[in-house]
Amino acid sequence: KQIHITKGRHILQELCVDVFVPNDTNSNEEHGFVKILSGPNASGKSVYLKQVALIVYLAHVGSFVPSEHATIGILDEIYTRVQSVESISTHLSAFMLDLRQLALALRNSSSNSLVLVDEFGKGTTEIDGLGLLSACLENFIERGNDCPHLFVSTHFHSLSKMLPPSPAVKVQHLEHMVYKGELVYLYRLKDGDVQSSFALQVAQAQGLTKSAADRATMILNGLREEAEMTADSNNRLTNVVAKRRLFLKKLSKAVLSNAHLNTWKQELVSLQL
């Protein structure tokens, strides 16, 4: 049970660009069966997921594969949550289509399946999307060695922290850099997470007006400050609650003599009980 690809390429995408950056893929017991892929918008996450699926498919039909080397174990099915084609005839929203595709993979995938999940949760609130995605991934991970080959791209940067620790999970990203204030894509697959999707830089590169970009920056800074204040407030509250619990525990065991009353009173005032 393995997918090992050395310098794999997307067979169609490489025809549309001057330079295509190949990447390796390893999905096995040693390197883990679950890959969580992050990175800025337009950094190549979707192309990479489709690249893996195309190479696997071509290998199974006896074709050449666009890579320097590939060892592909026999797979039974490929499940994807990559594209949602809406139609009024289905009476389903984009998010409902996403759910249907992911539910199909959850119900029917085996240990020898390939499952691709590309930015699930975009059609609902961030907290709902993150909760649903993390729950589904937990279901896959809990299968142990029966977990399918699972590749997930996401902008939920806290996703990996929501999952139980497991050697089956590996977090990766598409490399990039900021040069003179501009986002530069390097398209190389690297281990580790990123904490920003650089949406504002991408929007400016796509022609967002300066006034809109400046206003977006102000709003983003305000939201970040609010989040930091909330986190700081929560930490202080946690510390106060812990101190109060310790005080009450000591108080329940103490012998309240007159000699100790002033000491207890001072500690009580300091805790603002």
Side-chain angles (χ1 to χ4, degrees):
K1 179 183 175 180
Q2 67 170 321
I3 297 176
H4 172 70
I5 302 169
T6 302
K7 293 189 176 180
R9 310 184 310 278
H10 190 294
I11 192 171
L12 299 178
Q13 181 69 17
E14 68 175 344
L15 300 177
C16 304
V17 295
D18 295 329
V19 178
F20 186 89
V21 180
N23 279 300
D24 296 346
T25 301
N26 288 293
S27 180
N28 50 41
E29 189 171 354
E30 179 184 355
H31 295 93
F33 296 112
V34 180
K35 303 295 189 297
I36 298 177
L37 190 64
S38 62
N41 293 282
S43 62
K45 299 185 297 296
S46 298
V47 169
Y48 176 75
L49 262 61
K50 295 173 184 177
Q51 168 184 309
V52 173
L54 284 170
I55 291 174
V56 166
Y57 181 80
L58 289 171
H60 277 69
V61 299
S63 170
F64 90 100
V65 293
S67 66
E68 282 193 0
H69 173 80
T71 302
I72 312 294
I74 300 298
L75 301 181
D76 51 17
E77 290 177 302
I78 299 175
Y79 294 93
T80 67
R81 200 328 302 156
V82 173
Q83 186 176 10
S84 300
V85 180
E86 296 182 66
S87 172
I88 58 174
S89 63
T90 63
H91 303 289
L92 296 173
S93 67
F95 182 59
M96 292 174 71
L97 288 169
D98 291 353
L99 285 170
R100 176 173 288 187
Q101 292 169 348
L102 188 54
L104 183 68
L106 276 170
R107 290 196 306 268
N108 299 315
S109 62
S110 73
S111 62
N112 292 316
S113 298
L114 172 62
V115 179
L116 307 177
V117 181
D118 189 18
E119 296 187 14
F120 174 84
K122 294 185 295 184
T124 186
T125 64
E126 179 179 358
I127 190 169
D128 288 340
L130 176 59
L132 284 166
L133 181 57
S134 59
C136 292
L137 296 190
E138 278 189 38
N139 185 286
F140 284 119
I141 295 168
E142 287 171 355
R143 300 183 191 181
N145 288 332
D146 290 330
C147 176
H149 299 282
L150 177 60
F151 293 80
V152 181
S153 72
T154 185
H155 287 292
F156 296 144
H157 300 297
S158 59
L159 175 62
S160 59
K161 300 179 180 65
M162 301 286 291
L163 300 174
S166 171
V169 180
K170 189 170 186 179
V171 179
Q172 299 177 308
H173 68 276
L174 271 301
E175 193 177 13
H176 57 279
M177 62 181 292
V178 178
Y179 179 71
K180 293 184 178 179
E182 293 187 5
L183 185 62
V184 180
Y185 300 111
L186 303 178
Y187 302 110
R188 291 193 294 260
L189 188 66
K190 296 290 184 179
D191 291 339
D193 199 2
V194 296
Q195 294 303 314
S196 174
S197 294
F198 295 92
L200 185 58
Q201 288 89 336
V202 174
Q204 289 176 297
Q206 296 304 311
L208 186 70
T209 61
K210 186 178 185 305
S211 59
D214 291 343
R215 178 57 180 159
T217 300
M218 291 176 60
I219 294 172
L220 286 171
N221 289 337
L223 291 172
R224 290 189 182 112
E225 289 176 5
E226 182 179 351
E228 290 173 0
M229 289 174 61
T230 301
D232 185 54
S233 177
N234 289 339
N235 289 335
R236 288 200 303 270
L237 180 60
T238 301
N239 291 334
V240 169
V241 170
K243 289 179 180 178
R244 289 179 179 180
R245 286 176 177 170
L246 180 61
F247 173 80
L248 293 173
K249 184 177 180 180
K250 291 192 296 183
L251 186 62
S252 66
K253 297 179 180 180
V255 178
L256 294 179
S257 63
N258 290 332
H260 295 95
L261 283 178
N262 286 333
T263 302
W264 287 111
K265 182 179 179 181
Q266 290 174 2
E267 186 170 351
L268 188 64
V269 171
S270 68
L271 292 175
Q272 298 180 353
L273 291 168

